[in-house]
Amino acid sequence: MAGMAEAHSKPRSAREAAERVAATLREAGHIALFAGGCVRDLLMGRQPADYDVATDAVPAKVLGLFRRTMQVGAQFGVVVVVLGRWQVEVATFRSEGGYADGRHPGEVHYSDARQDAARRDFTINGMFMDPATGEIVDYVGGRADLEGRLIRAIGAADERLAEDHLRMLRAVRFASTLEFEMEAATAAAVARQAGRIVDVSAERIWQEWEKTIGQPTRARGWRLAEEGGLAAAIWPRLAGQGEAIGERFGRLGATADAVAALATQFAGLAGEAVQEECRRLALDNRSRASVAWLLEHGRDLLEAELEVVPLKKRMANEDWGRLAEVAGALAAEAGERGILAANLAAAGAIEPGEVRPAPLIDGRDVMALGQAEGPAGGRVLAAVYDAQLAEKV
């Protein structure tokens, strides 16, 4: 029976891969249901990014049924099955307890679908679907909350959030990106426990916040984080700037990504404070450099109409698109918006090949003319390149 799912041609989609995994489990005599976020998205008419399968088969049984697997969470009853280029997370029905670190369960017991639903975070994420029939299995009232557009913790909200403090930021993310309301008891529990969010690793905080501010609904996400006390706990340096940040987020374009949004969020801080905040969030070096450059030049496009050379130099930077978005978010006054429009119009008139042309001369040419190497030679190269950008040579 092992390797049954690999007997077919490679699946053409994530859903087909998950259906094959579920079919193999059922053929082996087990229950296999779609679980969590994919069920929520399907009921909302959205295309899920991935599909998770929940089953009564223990990890050892799952490992024996499929040729290619990864035991990334076998201690928690989770195995990843690989079919073609798709990865399907298969989790054994379980109950959990003993969350000593406020993030990971200290105890895992295999159980059934009802108990598995009860240990999940929010009702809209606690439903199952039979992939063979489309039947929804809902023990937690998730479908009603989905229709009511509510983010509600499963069971006692304080208990759910105490088990995993990151769930507070997840509540904010779901409420903002789905444009749902946060149910009153859940919102109150977030406010009571907000200070505990700092116990979560910086990487996980950024992963959740990145998903929140990387969406057009970022201004609502910021407001919810403020109202729940999470913003104050994570970014005490931003105290008193909440209204201004919300306004900047509101002006930021819908297509802006999370790095542009983070630069917009930190626009009221001094340079070193920005870098410290980026390091606290464990941003990678490239993203930190982008945030610094965006804030260094964010107001350039608002204060004066740029000459062609400095304009081309900014356009040559790979963060130019983000810079235009950040400048738009920072443009609070009508005059600034007018100057920005003029600079963007000037940029649009520049041919792409003129932004970063190949230099007319290099260091060997400078040396051949008798100019010594070093800073003086560098100044010559810079001056000639500036003249080239200005189309004077």
Side-chain angles (χ1 to χ4, degrees), residues 267-292:
L269 298 177
E272 183 53 36
V274 171
Q275 286 304 299
E276 289 178 9
E277 291 299 326
C278 288
R279 285 192 291 270
R280 281 204 320 118
L281 287 178
L283 261 69
D284 60 88
N285 292 338
R286 181 68 195 91
S287 296
R288 288 208 306 267
S290 292
V291 170

Side-chain angles (χ1 to χ4, degrees), residues 45 49 59 81 91 115 117 186 188 196 214 248 262 272-273 304 356:
V81 175
Q115 291 184 68
T186 302
R196 305 173 75 178
R248 290 197 296 268
L262 192 65
E272 183 53 36
R356 193 187 301 170

Side-chain angles (χ1 to χ4, degrees), residues 8-61:
H8 308 283
S9 59
K10 291 181 178 179
R12 294 166 294 181
S13 67
R15 177 162 186 165
E16 184 179 341
E19 288 174 341
R20 291 190 188 182
V21 168
T24 298
L25 287 164
R26 287 197 306 272
E27 289 168 12
H30 296 286
I31 299 169
L33 304 171
F34 287 167
C38 67
V39 179
R40 176 199 68 226
D41 289 345
L42 289 169
L43 288 175
M44 293 183 69
R46 299 184 173 201
Q47 180 64 45
D50 49 43
Y51 290 78
D52 294 340
V53 173
T55 180
D56 61 345
V58 298
K61 183 67 174 180

Side-chain angles (χ1 to χ4, degrees), residues 8 28 49 62 89 97 104 113 127 143 179 182 194 211 238 258 289 291-292 311 329:
H8 308 283
V62 177
E89 188 174 286
H104 302 101
M127 296 177 284
R143 196 159 196 174
E179 299 185 80
M182 203 180 300
K211 294 173 184 176
L238 298 179
V291 170
L311 183 57

Side-chain angles (χ1 to χ4, degrees), residues 82-101:
V82 182
L83 291 183
R85 65 187 184 94
W86 308 103
Q87 296 183 2
V88 181
E89 188 174 286
V90 179
T92 304
F93 295 136
R94 66 188 189 272
S95 60
E96 299 172 342
Y99 289 77
D101 63 354

Side-chain angles (χ1 to χ4, degrees), residues 33-270:
L33 304 171
F34 287 167
C38 67
V39 179
R40 176 199 68 226
D41 289 345
L42 289 169
L43 288 175
M44 293 183 69
R46 299 184 173 201
Q47 180 64 45
D50 49 43
Y51 290 78
D52 294 340
V53 173
T55 180
D56 61 345
V58 298
K61 183 67 174 180
V62 177
L63 291 170
L65 286 172
F66 300 95
R67 184 178 300 118
R68 297 177 63 198
T69 58
M70 295 185 291
Q71 301 183 58
V72 294
Q75 71 273 32
F76 301 122
V78 181
V79 173
V80 173
V81 175
V82 182
L83 291 183
R85 65 187 184 94
W86 308 103
Q87 296 183 2
V88 181
E89 188 174 286
V90 179
T92 304
F93 295 136
R94 66 188 189 272
S95 60
E96 299 172 342
Y99 289 77
D101 63 354
R103 183 74 185 99
H104 302 101
E107 302 172 0
V108 172
H109 304 284
Y110 299 139
S111 59
D112 57 20
R114 184 182 294 274
Q115 291 184 68
D116 189 79
R119 58 101 188 162
R120 293 174 181 264
D121 54 5
F122 306 110
T123 59
I124 62 169
N125 298 332
M127 296 177 284
F128 304 101
M129 174 187 282
D130 186 329
T133 65
E135 178 188 358
I136 301 299
V137 181
D138 181 10
Y139 298 112
V140 295
R143 196 159 196 174
D145 284 342
L146 197 64
E147 293 172 356
R149 305 180 68 82
L150 280 178
I151 303 301
R152 184 196 307 270
I154 293 174
D158 278 300
E159 291 180 16
R160 290 291 81 72
L161 300 184
E163 289 169 351
D164 182 351
H165 306 326
L166 190 65
R167 286 173 173 167
M168 293 185 284
L169 266 184
R170 284 171 59 81
V172 166
R173 172 165 69 88
F174 288 127
S176 62
T177 58
L178 297 177
E179 299 185 80
F180 283 16
E181 293 299 320
M182 203 180 300
E183 180 263 339
T186 302
V190 170
R192 282 191 292 270
Q193 300 193 41
R196 305 173 75 178
I197 191 64
V198 296
D199 295 336
V200 178
S201 71
E203 292 87 349
R204 295 296 290 123
I205 287 176
W206 170 238
Q207 286 171 10
E208 282 300 320
W209 192 239
E210 180 181 21
K211 294 173 184 176
T212 303
I213 63 174
Q215 297 296 320
T217 53
R218 60 183 66 85
R220 187 161 187 269
W222 172 256
R223 179 176 61 79
L224 290 170
E226 262 208 306
E227 291 175 352
L230 294 169
I234 301 170
W235 298 289
R237 272 194 174 108
L238 298 179
Q241 298 185 33
E243 184 176 351
I245 292 170
E247 290 175 352
R248 290 197 296 268
F249 275 169
R251 290 191 294 267
L252 194 60
T255 59
D257 68 3
V259 171
L262 192 65
T264 303
Q265 179 179 331
F266 290 158
L269 298 177

